[in-house]
């Protein structure tokens, strides 16, 4: 049985982390799986690793500080394959491949876009270097969308696409568990048009743009916005818009809340860039009306593009016009749209073939 090691910076509340746990759990029946986190950051995931998987959590505060510790663990485990995701972990496994006396195959899962690096100018050069090094040192690169595939191809030194494969994020079956925090919001706003967004609260997610659009939209319809998640900008935005707390709700990180989401009227993703949005797939699986910007529309699997509504990125007139159209039932196919079925078995089979 092949040994497969998963390497990731941490198990915080991101889509890449969630899908990595899902992937490891589903591969454990066919491979000996070991899971390494490069830092000791708090685990914030509703999914849990199977008890059959060995979890090694390196006691470092930053990923790069774990390079030598991770190399030592991989030397001891002697894996056949190492799978990594997120830019810092991808870079570290690539360096370990060079330094290690044990030879193994690297599969690098690209979970973001080079365009996303540009949002934070201070770290752009570092992140681009990590990305460039990892895609040129990996044996196989997994792209999550057609856009990602094209971008990776563009930055490959040898211009060879034979070792780049497209494996989209899975459309997963979701729990029906509810959140008391969301149930209270919905109960207190029965007559409102209730909008929800969920994910990390950081610069690239454009949560403030979404808040401003809802404030403006309230001139036309009674709207609420629920922001589910945590992140660097959570406290700042919560304080800045404290005078709007009767209809702008910050819930913080919630565990197991998908049953409540079904009761919302609209899900919006205002991100600037996504490798492939796990949150959009989750919203569509729940058969929520879903609105995304043109920026991330093309990063979605082709199968689901027809199921989403779009607006012009960071254009407040465009997003509010589209929200009103959906609210009024114009160009909205929610009643006839078939719910997305899970494709988990097919995605797992693709990963097995790559390994």
């Amino acid at each position: 049985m092949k040994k497969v090691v998963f390497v990731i910076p941490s198990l915080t509340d991101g889509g890449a982390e969630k899908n990595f746990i899902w992937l490891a759990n589903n591969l454990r029946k066919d491979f000996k799986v070991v899971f390494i986190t490069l830092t000791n950051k708090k685990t914030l995931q509703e999914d849990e690793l199977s008890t059959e998987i060995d979890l090694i959590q390196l006691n470092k505060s930053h990923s790069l500080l774990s390079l030598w510790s991770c190399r030592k663990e991989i030397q001891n485990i002697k894996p056949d394959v190492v799978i990594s995701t997120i830019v810092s972990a991808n870079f570290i496994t690539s360096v370990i491949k060079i330094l290690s006396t044990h030879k193994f195959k690297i599969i690098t899962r690209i979970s973001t876009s080079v365009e996303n690096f540009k949002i934070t100018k201070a770290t752009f050069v570092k992140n681009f270097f990590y990305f460039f090094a990892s895609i040129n040192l990996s044996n196989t690169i997994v792209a999550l969308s057609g856009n990602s595939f094209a971008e990776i191809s563009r930055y490959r030194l040898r211009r060879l696409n034979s070792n780049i494969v497209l494996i989209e994020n899975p459309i997963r079956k979701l729990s029906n568990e509810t959140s008391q925090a969301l149930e209270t919001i919905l109960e207190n706003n029965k007559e409102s048009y209730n909008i929800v967004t969920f994910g990390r609260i950081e610069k690239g997610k454009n949560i403030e743009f979404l808040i401003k659009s809802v404030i403006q939209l309230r001139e036309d319809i009674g709207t609420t916005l629920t922001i589910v998640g945590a992140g660097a900008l959570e406290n700042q935005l919560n304080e800045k818009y404290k005078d709007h707390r009767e209809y702008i709700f910050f819930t913080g990180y919630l565990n197991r809340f998908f049953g409540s989401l079904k009761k919302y009227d609209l899900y919006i993703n205002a991100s600037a860039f996504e490798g492939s949005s796990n949150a959009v797939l989750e919203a569509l699986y729940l058969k929520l009306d879903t609105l995304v910007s043109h920026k991330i529309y093309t990063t979605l699997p082709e199968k689901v593009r027809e199921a989403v509504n779009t607006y012009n990125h960071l254009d407040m007139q465009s997003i509010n016009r589209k929200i009103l159209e959906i609210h009024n039932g114009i160009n909205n196919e929610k009643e006839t749209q078939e719910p997305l079925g899970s494709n988990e078995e097919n995605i797992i089979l693709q990963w097995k073939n790559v390994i």
Side-chain angles (χ1 to χ4, degrees), residues 64-87:
L64 204 59
L65 298 176
S66 297
L67 193 154
W68 288 107
S69 298
C70 187
R71 175 185 177 274
K72 181 179 178 180
E73 295 292 347
I74 288 176
Q75 285 281 102
N76 290 337
I77 297 166
K78 293 182 171 52
D80 299 288
V81 178
V82 173
I83 306 174
S84 65
T85 193
I86 303 181
V87 62

Side-chain angles (χ1 to χ4, degrees), residues 67-330:
L67 193 154
W68 288 107
S69 298
C70 187
R71 175 185 177 274
K72 181 179 178 180
E73 295 292 347
I74 288 176
Q75 285 281 102
N76 290 337
I77 297 166
K78 293 182 171 52
D80 299 288
V81 178
V82 173
I83 306 174
S84 65
T85 193
I86 303 181
V87 62
S88 57
N90 291 342
F91 175 69
I92 283 172
T93 55
S94 299
V95 174
I96 290 172
K97 180 186 177 184
I98 297 172
L99 299 176
S100 178
T101 55
H102 171 71
K103 301 305 176 186
F104 53 87
K105 175 183 177 181
I106 288 184
I107 301 175
T108 298
R109 176 185 180 275
I110 302 298
S111 60
T112 191
S113 163
V114 170
E115 292 298 316
N116 197 35
F117 302 153
K118 296 177 182 177
I119 295 173
T120 309
K121 295 179 180 177
T123 58
F124 170 75
V125 174
K126 178 193 74 174
N127 285 333
F128 180 78
F129 173 72
Y130 286 178
F131 166 82
F132 185 80
S134 61
I135 65 170
N136 282 289
L137 291 171
S138 301
N139 300 102
T140 302
I141 307 156
V142 172
L144 302 180
S145 68
N147 272 23
S148 177
F149 190 102
E151 184 176 72
I152 294 164
S153 301
R154 188 160 61 248
Y155 290 109
R156 285 284 289 171
L157 284 175
R158 287 170 289 184
R159 302 285 180 180
L160 296 176
N161 295 342
S162 59
N163 58 344
I164 307 172
V165 296
L166 173 60
I167 305 179
E168 296 171 342
N169 276 340
I171 300 169
R172 298 179 56 194
K173 298 173 185 175
L174 302 174
S175 73
N176 286 314
E177 294 186 52
T178 58
S179 157
Q180 186 56 56
L182 296 184
E183 292 297 318
T184 300
I185 291 169
L186 290 163
E187 178 65 24
N188 293 338
N189 295 277
K190 288 180 179 178
E191 305 304 316
S192 299
Y193 188 68
N194 296 307
I195 298 172
V196 66
T197 188
F198 51 93
R200 291 189 305 277
I201 304 176
E202 56 188 32
K203 188 175 180 181
K205 303 296 183 180
N206 294 313
I207 299 300
E208 186 167 20
F209 163 76
L210 196 48
I211 292 171
K212 289 178 178 178
S213 75
V214 167
I215 292 172
Q216 186 183 90
L217 190 65
R218 281 182 65 85
E219 297 175 7
D220 297 296
I221 56 174
T223 312
T224 72
L225 173 63
T226 302
I227 302 159
V228 181
L233 298 180
E234 180 185 2
N235 293 336
Q236 177 187 327
L237 292 175
N238 201 345
E239 177 63 23
K240 184 173 181 179
Y241 293 98
K242 63 184 178 182
D243 293 339
H244 302 274
R245 284 178 181 166
E246 71 271 21
Y247 60 91
I248 302 291
F249 307 104
F250 288 84
T251 69
Y253 173 75
L254 296 178
N255 189 16
R256 303 190 184 280
F257 58 92
F258 289 107
S260 297
L261 287 186
K262 294 179 182 180
K263 302 174 185 178
Y264 276 84
D265 298 298
L266 177 66
Y267 162 79
I268 303 180
N269 188 310
S271 294
F273 302 100
E274 296 275 357
S276 180
S277 178
N278 195 58
V280 171
L281 295 181
E282 290 170 342
L284 290 172
Y285 180 83
L286 296 171
K287 209 181 177 186
L288 274 169
D289 278 340
T290 300
L291 180 58
V292 305
S293 80
H294 284 115
K295 278 274 190 177
I296 67 168
Y297 172 79
T298 54
T299 71
L300 298 173
E302 289 188 17
K303 175 183 176 181
V304 307
R305 290 181 190 174
E306 292 183 4
V308 302
N309 299 280
T310 61
Y311 67 93
N312 297 328
H313 182 63
L314 294 183
D315 183 334
M316 200 164 294
Q317 263 193 323
S318 176
I319 190 173
N320 284 351
R321 182 171 60 250
K322 183 58 70 171
I323 292 171
L324 287 171
E325 286 180 0
I326 296 169
H327 173 264
N328 295 326
I330 302 170

